[in-house]
Amino acid sequence: MAVVFQKTKGLTDKPFSYCPGCTHGIIHRLVAESLEELGLLDEVIGVAPVGCSVFAYEFFNCDMHEAAHGRAPAVATGIKRVYPDHPVFTYQGDGDLASIGTAEIVHVAHRGEKITTIFVNNAIYGMTGGQMAPTTLVGQKATTAPYGRDAAHCGNPLRVSEMLATIEGAVFVERVAVNTPANIRKAKKAIKKAFEVQLQGLGFGIVEVLSTCPTNWGLTPVESLEWLEKNMIPYYPLGNFKSPKEEK
Amino acid sequence: MAKVLMKGNEAIGAAAIKAGCKYFFGYPITPQNEIPEYMSRELPKVGGVFLQAESEVAAINMVYGAAGCGVRVMTSSSSPGIALKQEGISYIAGAELPCVIVNISRGGPGLGSIQPAQSDYYQSTRGGGNGDYFHPVYAPASIQESVDLMQEAFDVADRYRTPVMVLGDGMIGQMMEPVEFFEREAEKTEKPWATNGTKGKRKPNIINSLFIDPQALEDHNHRLEEKFELMKKNEVRVETFNLEDAEVVCVAYGTTARIVKNAIEICKNEGIQVGLIRPITLWPFPEAAFEEVSDKTKAYLSVEMSMGQMIDDVKIAVAGERPVEFYGRSGGMIPTPEGVVGKIKSILGRE
Ligand SMILES: Cc1ncc(C[n+]2csc(CCOP(=O)(O)OP(=O)(O)O)c2C)c(N)n1
Ligand code: SF4
Ligand SMILES: [Mg+2]
């Protein structure tokens, strides 16, 4: 009997701690498969954030660090400067990366640090119970924006990929989503590409992945996928913002 | 090696490199700038890496990353910058990683001043970040001692898997003194916990301070506590001076201890016997030294360049057996020997 699908070696046997229907799990799989397919699992060192994916260090089957909230890019910098020949990645949520850790993500890109960042944008603080994130959409309700986000009060949502693409040291920037099989395939391609760019020593690479949070959005998993498509993608357009030149 | 005249900050950098430190992450702040400047010049020559971080917060987290890779790594800063590093230091203590943090301290609170001060005693010795933790704090009183303690700091950090702080007041950083670098092999410690890629030969290594299960965290805290007790037993460093006949015993550390020694000399010439306990490790605090004090001693005097912080530890060590008095200057004002002498006389009722 031929095996057509099996669990990647890039993940441990530890059961995920994610809510049913949460797309963090899909993104973990894509990262793990990419690492396995590129043959990097024996060498790679990953950095987990503070957020729902805080236990990523138990799920990825490779050496891992658990960083303080927002500081993963700095931790990854320390690791990469010690082991320039080892692939290094961070996995971060939108509260982690786009709020408390904005300085760290901007400067890891500014230095052109040769690491790969997987940025999971679910437009909310998942772990702490659904508070407003810088990425929360205008009108979207959150526990600290009970009337919906009001742009006059707290600004418009931050487009991180567009911002980072302006920085010289960021050489690969792409926004993907994991709401449909076709988009998941594109997401996988982008994640793999980001690691390849790192291996070529070209600079900093980031893949922003639009993701769902059924629990805090107050929607079913299926409704969440639809909500992502209808609301997030129009504000956060998918596509590649930057790629090394010769590859285009 | 012959003696060379060096500025404290540069000597500290040189000593770190001699101790095998190849990685430095830091952010500019007066009065410690000569340390990162020296490292940026010298580390590339020995195949090391100097990197200027975007903030002290980032710098200490770079240290956390590098320390988890199993190399000798350090950062340096001054008081407000050390305050920013406290989150990272707590993580490093929790994850049990070795590193050295140099604090060339200045006056506070807030932006304070850039002049020498010792008002970082609390944030250095009390575990300035969150959680139940301590780390060794060395307080050199001369540039030679700074150099010697840097080597010690890296060895102790590796031996106990702990952050270690070297706390110099601004005077230590800025003054010049002749120093000698004694050749001494860095202690070798195996680091099987380091993240350097599994090579497919071992289970993944995880650098972590999260223990979500309450029992697991309490167990972890008990393990840390055992380590702290071991350091209290083995790593206390102290200098005592003239304790046998002293009527008053001063307690002072860093450059303040040098001023107190001058005061003791003046007192001696006037027929007053004064002793000194100089903690070289502020944590672990040299409590046992207080047992050497004789029946002739009427009181202790804590002398500090602060409004009175170490005095708390002195009181704990004295445990109410004798009065503990305080003399201090702050904000960058330096205590004078005459000022200390005046306080000693008033304690003894001899104006
Ligand atoms: C210094 C600090 N501040 C706040 C927190 C609390 N906290 C934990 S997770 C989190 C938000 C995580 O949201 P996000 O990064 O979007 O990840 P998600 O859970 O949505 O995947 C916050 C604020 C913390 N752990 N540390
Ligand atoms: S709270 Fe939201 S982001 Fe977190 S695991 Fe649940 S669904 Fe996923
Ligand atoms: Mg989020």
Side-chain angles (χ1 to χ4, degrees):
Chain A
M1 213 170 71
V3 178
V4 286
F5 184 82
Q6 60 182 359
K7 204 178 119 235
T8 165
K9 288 193 180 67
L11 292 174
T12 63
D13 291 332
K14 186 99 187 166
F16 282 154
S17 45
Y18 301 108
C19 305
C22 173
T23 46
H24 259 302
I26 296 176
I27 303 164
H28 274 31
R29 178 163 63 78
L30 301 183
V31 173
E33 283 176 358
S34 301
L35 292 172
E36 186 188 8
E37 287 163 23
L38 293 167
L40 302 179
L41 284 170
D42 291 352
E43 294 298 317
V44 72
I45 304 166
V47 186
V50 175
C52 282
S53 48
V54 66
F55 291 116
Y57 62 80
E58 294 195 332
F59 304 142
F60 289 115
N61 194 13
C62 59
D63 278 0
M64 293 289 296
H65 284 227
E66 204 294 301
H69 197 21
R71 316 297 176 219
V75 176
T77 298
I79 298 169
K80 190 73 184 188
R81 293 298 175 130
V82 172
Y83 294 129
D85 297 332
H86 285 249
V88 175
F89 73 95
T90 72
Y91 185 105
Q92 303 176 254
D94 48 334
D96 194 82
L97 182 144
S99 190
I100 196 168
T102 40
E104 284 78 7
I105 198 68
V106 164
H107 285 281
V108 82
H110 151 238
R111 289 188 301 269
E113 219 63 66
K114 292 158 197 72
I115 69 161
T116 303
T117 289
I118 311 301
F119 167 38
V120 180
N121 179 357
N122 57 10
I124 202 123
Y125 282 42
M127 187 184 216
T128 39
Q131 294 83 7
M132 192 188 76
T135 43
T136 296
L137 296 175
V138 170
Q140 183 186 340
K141 285 188 176 154
T143 57
T144 50
Y147 311 112
R149 180 177 185 153
D150 174 6
H153 175 63
C154 50
N156 284 288
L158 198 58
R159 292 191 184 95
V160 170
S161 288
E162 285 83 342
M163 173 180 76
L164 292 181
T166 66
I167 299 173
E168 286 294 314
V171 295
F172 184 84
V173 184
E174 187 157 329
R175 185 184 288 121
V176 298
V178 285
N179 60 320
T180 65
N183 276 346
I184 290 172
R185 273 194 294 277
K186 283 187 204 155
K188 166 81 177 286
K189 244 179 109 183
I191 289 169
K192 211 165 158 180
K193 185 74 217 271
F195 278 109
E196 282 165 351
V197 166
Q198 178 182 169
L199 294 177
Q200 290 157 17
L202 298 173
F204 174 70
I206 180 168
V207 181
E208 173 175 349
V209 188
L210 302 185
S211 183
T212 65
C213 179
T215 300
N216 290 302
W217 290 358
L219 301 172
T220 67
V222 175
E223 287 167 350
S224 296
L225 298 173
E226 288 161 6
W227 192 89
L228 186 158
E229 169 120 28
K230 282 206 188 74
N231 299 280
M232 286 184 80
I233 294 179
Y235 190 83
Y236 298 117
L238 305 183
N240 183 277
F241 296 94
K242 222 168 171 186
S243 220
K245 279 198 183 61
E246 62 279 10
E247 304 286 337
K248 270 192 179 160
Chain B
M1 222 176 112
K3 286 203 171 185
V4 280
L5 191 65
M6 270 184 111
K7 197 171 191 174
N9 281 334
E10 294 211 332
I12 285 170
I17 293 176
K18 281 208 172 284
C21 172
K22 286 229 169 71
Y23 300 90
F24 182 101
F25 303 95
Y27 187 81
I29 183 169
T30 307
Q32 61 84 54
N33 288 321
E34 295 84 358
I35 302 178
E37 284 163 5
Y38 180 89
M39 293 310 233
S40 69
R41 191 169 75 233
E42 297 301 325
L43 273 177
K45 296 181 191 166
V46 296
V49 176
F50 163 88
L51 188 64
Q52 181 168 320
E54 62 270 29
S55 67
E56 288 87 352
V57 174
I60 192 69
N61 282 285
M62 291 173 185
V63 169
Y64 174 74
C69 291
V71 297
R72 287 198 160 182
V73 55
M74 71 173 286
T75 184
S76 66
S77 189
S78 181
S79 311
I82 295 292
L84 280 182
K85 288 185 198 290
Q86 293 295 357
E87 175 198 41
I89 297 173
S90 167
Y91 272 70
I92 291 169
E96 298 191 79
L97 298 178
C99 72
V100 173
I101 301 135
V102 174
N103 179 6
I104 303 298
S105 69
R106 56 189 253 184
L111 201 47
S113 79
I114 58 168
Q115 306 302 325
Q118 294 181 318
S119 43
D120 279 6
Y121 188 90
Y122 286 152
Q123 81 156 338
S124 305
T125 60
R126 260 39 182 184
N130 60 301
D132 281 316
Y133 75 92
F134 296 95
H135 55 67
V137 182
Y138 291 104
S142 68
I143 300 189
Q144 183 65 55
E145 197 173 41
S146 308
V147 161
D148 299 341
L149 288 176
M150 279 305 283
Q151 177 101 29
E152 182 90 6
F154 279 102
D155 284 351
V156 166
D158 275 354
R159 208 182 303 150
Y160 295 92
R161 291 182 60 179
T162 178
V164 174
M165 186 175 283
V166 176
L167 174 64
D169 48 72
M171 223 123 62
I172 287 285
Q174 295 302 319
M175 69 187 178
M176 290 183 89
E177 280 180 343
V179 282
E180 193 169 355
F181 291 88
F182 297 101
E183 293 305 331
R184 169 178 158 188
E185 278 283 304
E187 210 171 272
K188 274 260 172 293
T189 318
E190 292 297 321
K191 297 179 175 176
W193 44 264
T195 57
N196 47 13
T198 64
K199 311 278 185 300
K201 292 204 174 104
R202 57 160 171 77
K203 288 216 165 75
N205 279 340
I206 296 170
I207 303 297
N208 176 40
S209 64
L210 175 63
F211 298 83
I212 203 81
D213 167 36
Q215 191 56 61
L217 181 55
E218 192 181 49
D219 292 347
H220 177 63
N221 281 331
H222 279 300
R223 272 197 310 278
L224 291 180
E225 177 64 18
E226 276 172 31
K227 186 162 85 172
F228 301 147
E229 289 304 322
L230 205 62
M231 289 193 272
K232 280 187 191 169
K233 205 173 126 218
N234 297 331
E235 304 305 336
V236 171
R237 298 278 223 103
V238 62
E239 179 196 351
T240 56
F241 177 70
N242 202 31
L243 291 189
E244 308 76 47
D245 302 315
E247 293 176 76
V248 172
V249 169
C250 293
V251 188
Y253 68 97
T255 53
T256 306
R258 296 165 68 149
I259 296 163
V260 170
K261 279 188 181 171
N262 290 336
I264 291 173
E265 200 53 37
I266 297 171
C267 285
K268 195 177 158 197
N269 293 337
E270 296 186 24
I272 306 169
Q273 291 294 337
V274 178
L276 172 68
I277 293 175
R278 176 172 76 92
I280 299 171
T281 49
L282 303 183
W283 193 94
F285 194 71
E287 290 182 9
F290 290 78
E291 285 159 24
E292 293 170 32
V293 167
S294 81
D295 293 342
K296 292 177 197 157
T297 300
K298 297 187 178 70
Y300 290 94
L301 176 62
S302 188
V303 186
E304 306 175 43
M305 280 194 280
S306 78
M307 298 304 289
Q309 298 192 8
M310 180 180 65
I311 187 172
D312 288 2
D313 279 338
V314 176
K315 283 180 178 167
I316 291 169
V318 172
E321 286 187 0
R322 288 184 187 80
V324 178
E325 303 281 341
F326 177 74
Y327 181 78
R329 300 296 303 271
S330 84
M333 298 303 291
I334 314 286
T336 58
E338 293 70 28
V340 179
V341 170
K343 180 71 189 183
I344 291 167
K345 285 184 180 168
S346 87
I347 291 171
L348 294 172
R350 276 183 247 170
E351 294 312 314

